[in-house]
Amino acid sequence: MCKILIIHGPNLNLLGTREPDIYGKLSIARINKDLTALAKKNKVQIVIAQSNHEGEIVDLIQKAKGKFNAILINPAAYTHTSVAIRDAIAAVGVPTVEIHLSNIYAREEFRRTSLISAVAVGQVSGFGVNSYTLGLLAAIEVAKNVKRKA
Ligand code: DQA
């Protein structure tokens, strides 16, 4: 069975109460519940982690090598600053899908650069909680190595 590691970055533990106009009213527990149901429906196994610490996220990515078929990550604020997370993704070679609840390209200038996207398979940004479900579907396809003909 395909295994996908889902990583929520800093401050995402506060979802539901954190700037709900930008990030929505759903809690991380609720999002995780929806992701678990979607994974079950698609017959893949998921492991979910949240960390506010850059080094811990690097450790999670390093340990994913050989254990997971894909990673789904919302690197949150580290998207815009973390060479370490970018390097970890590049180093382990586990195909990674980057997601954001908000459209980072329609916000402040400093959010418009992602250090992660160049080492990700792709990015989903701006669909609120649906960014997670769309991102998980993308990660499932990547994990199963589904290729479609043009
Ligand atoms: C975010 C966007 C980031 O700029 C921000 O720092 C976050 C959340 C998003 O999901 O929209 O914490 O990754």
Side-chain angles (χ1 to χ4, degrees):
M1 198 189 255
C2 275
K3 279 187 82 176
I4 297 172
L5 174 63
I6 299 176
I7 303 174
H8 301 283
N11 298 308
L12 295 173
N13 52 314
L14 302 179
L15 283 179
T17 57
R18 173 194 181 203
E19 299 182 89
D21 291 351
I22 299 173
Y23 300 118
K25 291 189 178 129
L26 293 188
S27 68
I28 192 171
R30 176 56 205 277
I31 291 172
N32 289 343
K33 202 174 155 204
D34 289 353
L35 291 173
T36 304
L38 188 61
K40 201 172 167 195
K41 195 173 153 201
N42 284 276
K43 298 183 174 53
V44 296
Q45 220 180 315
I46 56 170
V47 172
I48 304 175
Q50 189 277 327
S51 178
N52 293 326
H53 306 281
E54 186 176 18
E56 243 171 54
I57 295 173
V58 169
D59 287 344
L60 284 167
I61 294 166
Q62 286 186 8
K63 285 180 196 149
K65 194 181 165 88
K67 292 205 186 76
F68 291 91
N69 304 92
I71 296 172
L72 177 69
I73 185 167
N74 183 348
Y78 290 137
T79 305
H80 320 294
T81 63
S82 183
V83 176
I85 292 175
R86 175 201 175 107
D87 284 354
I89 293 168
V92 299
V94 179
T96 298
V97 176
E98 173 190 357
I99 76 110
H100 301 283
L101 293 147
S102 63
N103 177 356
I104 58 170
Y105 302 99
R107 299 186 61 196
E108 302 97 321
E109 189 67 43
F110 68 89
R111 292 187 205 274
R112 294 183 196 163
T113 302
S114 166
L115 297 186
I116 310 303
S117 57
V119 293
V121 180
Q123 185 199 67
V124 183
S125 177
F127 298 97
V129 68
N130 291 332
S131 289
Y132 275 100
T133 46
L134 292 167
L136 180 57
L137 290 174
I140 290 169
E141 300 241 332
V142 166
K144 291 183 173 168
N145 202 13
V146 174
K147 290 194 178 75
R148 292 207 171 86
K149 292 195 180 102

